[in-house]
Amino acid sequence: MDVVKIGVIGIGNMGSSHVQMLTKGQINGAVLTAVCSRNENRIEWVKAYTKGTVKIFKDEEAFFNDSDIDAVLIATPHYSHPELAKKAFAKGKHVLIEKPAGVYTKNVLEMNAAAKSCGKVFGIMYNQRANPLYQKIRFLIQSGQLGELKRTNWIITDSYRPQSYYDSSHWRATWKGEGGGVLLNQALHQLDLLQWTTGCMPKSVRAVCSVGKYHDIEVEDDVTAFVEYDNGATDVIIASTGEAPGTNRYEIVGDRGKIIVENEELLFYQLSQSEREFNAMYAGGFGKPDYEKIKIPVISENANHATIVQNWVNAIRNGTPLLSPGEEGVNALEISNAIYLSSWLNETVELPVNPDLYYEKLQEKINTSNLEKKHVTNTTLDVSGTH
């Protein structure tokens, strides 16, 4: 395929960015052919921005049937991702979805099955996987230089959000519209990176999710979770949209050293020998393993959306391996579902989560919702540089 004809469905914050990216020719081997949106203001913006060069659709069926696209980039609200992806696969389209893969694993697993059966290229916008900083961390861990995993901690409080962010639309920060708060929207990248860099999925989770602690919302804006792994390693995740100034600190400890990532700086404290070996052999009482502090020069690049789109297009055209396969979107969602369920039930939850139980409890949240947003502005936010 010489040129991939792409359609974008959903012209909100991220969809608008993708329209701009494709219209400017930033993606080699791809052209924006059509968009689909029910928002008249956004439709008029697309017409003006693209100078009438793309087809405009308001109906999803017409978009998939009559747009003459090869691939679709889905940038709609969270709940619709799996259903739209399944429709696209049924029509023989390649798919790239914005994160999250969905809100609950039940229909995301169905989406993954549909992707597998149709054989089309399926990606998800986990753009931080293209960040050289996290690629280097993944290499250090999975190459064995850090040794066996012992502990991780991730403090994710640098995604501060004022009330006006949540007031920008009716669907934001509601169980019915978004399906969650800081975990599902801001911290999902880190949940993906946690399992992607370490190569480990948690065994169990015990968590507390504080609803509307710092904002007038019905979902969580502050989370603390304790995670355990099969080998006995532990993790603590702290996420919030109500702290300023915030912190983004990822610490990973293995039996051969420690990695610290903060302020876009990567430090590797490399032990001269395994701590477990030293512990068993040393007879001096108060000794400790020698180590070398290594500052690893790596440039952090946060806004890598174009890299993920280009990689997806290359996979369609040339069979290039995906940096972020869509089927892997269920992993971070599995962790977030476990955190929510643990908080709701006030107990430790084993992974994988029972998909039917989670769906049932989520419906209870939706059906008992009594939040009435009084100051919705219906604005499209500038998302450049955010994650």
Side-chain angles (χ1 to χ4, degrees):
M1 185 180 294
D2 292 332
V3 177
V4 180
K5 291 178 285 186
I6 295 178
V8 176
I9 182 166
I11 313 299
N13 297 322
M14 292 311 306
S16 300
S17 295
H18 298 321
V19 166
Q20 294 176 54
M21 181 194 309
L22 290 162
T23 301
K24 291 176 181 177
Q26 293 178 338
I27 307 301
N28 296 325
V31 60
L32 179 64
T33 301
V35 300
C36 182
S37 174
R38 297 190 185 97
N39 187 314
E40 290 290 345
N41 291 334
R42 302 313 299 156
I43 287 173
E44 291 305 313
W45 174 82
V46 171
K47 288 178 180 177
Y49 189 83
T50 63
K51 298 179 171 58
T53 58
V54 303
K55 300 175 184 178
I56 307 290
F57 294 88
K58 298 179 183 178
D59 178 74
E60 294 167 8
E61 289 299 321
F63 171 71
F64 285 122
N65 290 330
D66 305 326
S67 61
D68 192 34
I69 59 173
D70 305 307
V72 60
L73 206 163
I74 298 172
T76 52
H78 300 163
Y79 277 99
S80 61
H81 292 178
E83 292 306 314
L84 287 173
K86 287 190 287 185
K87 285 184 180 180
F89 292 136
K91 299 294 183 180
K93 312 299 182 186
H94 304 284
V95 172
L96 177 63
I97 57 172
E98 274 295 334
K99 60 85 183 168
V103 176
Y104 49 91
T105 60
K106 186 178 176 70
N107 63 352
V108 170
L109 292 170
E110 294 171 356
M111 174 180 66
N112 285 356
K116 185 177 180 180
S117 65
C118 82
K120 294 299 178 178
V121 177
F122 178 33
I124 185 169
M125 186 57 78
Y126 281 139
N127 54 292
Q128 288 298 322
R129 289 191 181 193
N131 189 330
L133 178 66
Y134 295 112
Q135 290 181 343
K136 185 64 176 180
I137 296 168
R138 174 179 162 90
F139 171 77
L140 290 172
I141 296 172
Q142 300 203 8
S143 65
Q145 295 182 59
L146 192 67
E148 184 178 8
L149 189 68
K150 296 173 72 175
R151 176 181 62 80
T152 62
N153 294 93
W154 208 330
I155 301 174
I156 315 155
T157 61
D158 62 333
S159 293
Y160 179 82
R161 295 292 186 268
Q163 185 63 41
S164 58
Y165 168 85
Y166 296 109
D167 292 341
S168 66
S169 67
H170 283 284
W171 66 274
R172 280 197 184 278
T174 64
W175 292 115
K176 183 178 180 180
E178 195 164 18
V182 62
L183 268 184
L184 203 61
N185 203 336
Q186 285 77 36
L188 202 71
H189 281 297
Q190 283 83 3
L191 295 186
D192 174 63
L193 290 170
L194 185 63
Q195 58 85 31
W196 185 69
T197 55
T198 62
C200 300
M201 281 291 288
K203 178 185 73 172
S204 64
V205 171
R206 185 70 171 90
V208 176
C209 299
S210 299
V211 171
K213 187 174 183 178
Y214 301 114
H215 306 89
D216 184 18
I217 56 177
E218 68 177 10
V219 296
E220 86 292 344
D221 56 4
D222 194 82
V223 174
T224 300
F226 176 74
V227 175
E228 292 186 88
Y229 295 92
D230 282 331
N231 73 338
T234 61
D235 175 46
V236 175
I237 300 166
I238 297 172
S240 178
T241 56
E243 291 186 15
T247 297
N248 190 338
R249 179 183 173 92
Y250 184 24
E251 185 169 316
I252 316 106
V253 179
D255 74 300
R256 291 190 170 273
K258 176 171 67 175
I259 293 171
I260 296 177
V261 186
E262 189 173 15
N263 299 324
E264 300 188 339
E265 181 179 77
L266 174 56
L267 295 177
F268 182 20
Y269 294 82
Q270 188 172 38
L271 297 180
S272 58
Q273 68 179 114
S274 165
E275 181 277 327
R276 293 289 77 198
E277 293 174 0
F278 180 89
N279 179 73
M281 296 173 59
Y282 186 74
F286 287 96
K288 57 184 177 181
D290 293 330
Y291 67 88
E292 180 183 4
K293 180 181 177 180
I294 306 169
K295 182 177 180 180
I296 299 177
V298 59
I299 298 174
S300 178
E301 298 173 357
N302 289 316
N304 292 293
H305 299 90
T307 302
I308 296 296
V309 176
Q310 185 67 68
N311 173 247
W312 174 60
V313 169
N314 292 347
I316 295 170
R317 296 177 68 209
N318 310 314
T320 303
L322 286 171
L323 282 171
S324 186
E327 291 86 352
E328 294 181 9
V330 73
N331 294 339
L333 189 64
E334 187 78 61
I335 300 171
S336 71
N337 280 189
I339 292 173
Y340 283 128
L341 196 58
S342 173
S343 182
W344 296 342
L345 299 177
N346 193 26
E347 63 185 38
T348 298
V349 169
E350 302 288 325
L351 281 80
V353 167
N354 181 322
D356 293 318
L357 176 61
Y358 185 82
Y359 180 77
E360 174 191 332
K361 294 301 179 183
L362 177 61
Q363 296 311 303
E364 289 178 8
K365 292 289 183 184
I366 294 171
N367 294 332
T368 58
S369 169
N370 56 12
L371 177 71
E372 292 185 15
K373 288 195 172 185
K374 300 177 181 178
H375 305 290
V376 177
T377 57
N378 290 316
T379 54
T380 298
L381 304 172
D382 179 8
V383 296
S384 59
T386 63
H387 57 278

